[in-house]
Amino acid sequence: METPVVLLLIGGLLLLIALVGGGMEVKGWLQIPKIERLARLFCGAAGVVLVLLGVRLHEDSQSKVGPQEAKQDAPEVQFFVFQTLSQEGLHMLQAEKTRIVINGILVGYLIVTPDFPALDLPVTVAGPGMHSYAIETAVNQTENGQTMQVSCSGAGQINVKQGARFSLEGRIRQDGSCPLWLEEKVT
């Protein structure tokens, strides 16, 4: 049971005791002895406090859930992130594993190799509009018999629409840095 419900039940029972004054039995499993006036006042005050606290906690929990429910009521939107190895990447036996995070949530990985040079990742978000992304890629490529590993990353925002397609783009620069970004492709 949730805390607000427990508080409301106990508070209600204490108020009942304060009003009736005890001397009750509920089907043999709960017996409330007759109580004096001071104890009844204490039960009444404690019951009021617990009922008010239960109501307040319930209202607080509803206000925290409210905005999330509103987001859930918005139409979900599905879009795609895709990655394709370039001809140069195929020639260098390049393999890439990309971790994709949308709105702070890991949505999946894209893993492309010469055997699987193109891949789509469907992503569903709460609604259309601007959404943040963070991407990280580990690139392994072989050139002249030597394997080299490069780490690339990027972050930004994309404007999502139903069915949109975003290509994973990146460049390994001469200085060794490797920025990544998502670029919308019009189909």
Side-chain angles (χ1 to χ4, degrees), residues 34-54:
K34 215 159 188 41
I35 57 174
E36 306 249 346
R37 178 175 270 252
L38 185 59
R40 287 174 70 182
L41 286 173
F42 175 75
C43 286
V48 167
V49 168
L50 290 177
V51 167
L52 291 175
L53 185 60

Side-chain angles (χ1 to χ4, degrees), residues 100-119:
I100 301 173
V101 174
I102 304 291
N103 297 328
I105 300 169
L106 175 65
V107 295
Y109 292 88
L110 286 173
I111 302 172
V112 291
T113 65
D115 293 330
F116 299 97
L119 199 59

Side-chain angles (χ1 to χ4, degrees), residues 69-78 124-129 131 160 162:
E69 287 177 350
K71 285 184 181 179
Q72 290 174 353
D73 291 341
E76 288 186 337
V77 174
Q78 185 179 53
T124 302
V125 293
H131 294 272
V160 174
Q162 179 65 34

Side-chain angles (χ1 to χ4, degrees), residues 70-182:
K71 285 184 181 179
Q72 290 174 353
D73 291 341
E76 288 186 337
V77 174
Q78 185 179 53
F79 67 98
F80 299 88
V81 176
F82 69 95
Q83 185 174 9
T84 305
L85 279 180
S86 66
Q87 287 299 324
E88 182 182 7
L90 289 169
H91 176 71
M92 292 190 292
L93 303 176
Q94 191 166 313
E96 299 180 14
K97 179 179 180 181
T98 303
R99 179 179 188 262
I100 301 173
V101 174
I102 304 291
N103 297 328
I105 300 169
L106 175 65
V107 295
Y109 292 88
L110 286 173
I111 302 172
V112 291
T113 65
D115 293 330
F116 299 97
L119 199 59
D120 279 17
L121 176 68
V123 179
T124 302
V125 293
M130 298 302 287
H131 294 272
S132 64
Y133 71 85
I135 45 182
E136 299 172 347
T137 297
V139 179
N140 291 316
Q141 58 190 26
T142 304
E143 191 171 3
N144 300 329
Q146 291 190 343
T147 301
M148 177 178 79
Q149 185 174 27
V150 177
S151 295
C152 307
S153 63
Q157 290 197 331
I158 51 177
N159 190 6
V160 174
K161 300 178 282 273
Q162 179 65 34
R165 295 180 53 77
F166 294 90
S167 172
L168 180 70
E169 300 290 332
R171 302 285 180 265
I172 299 175
R173 296 181 177 160
Q174 295 290 350
D175 65 0
S177 66
C178 183
L180 287 178
W181 63 94
L182 292 178

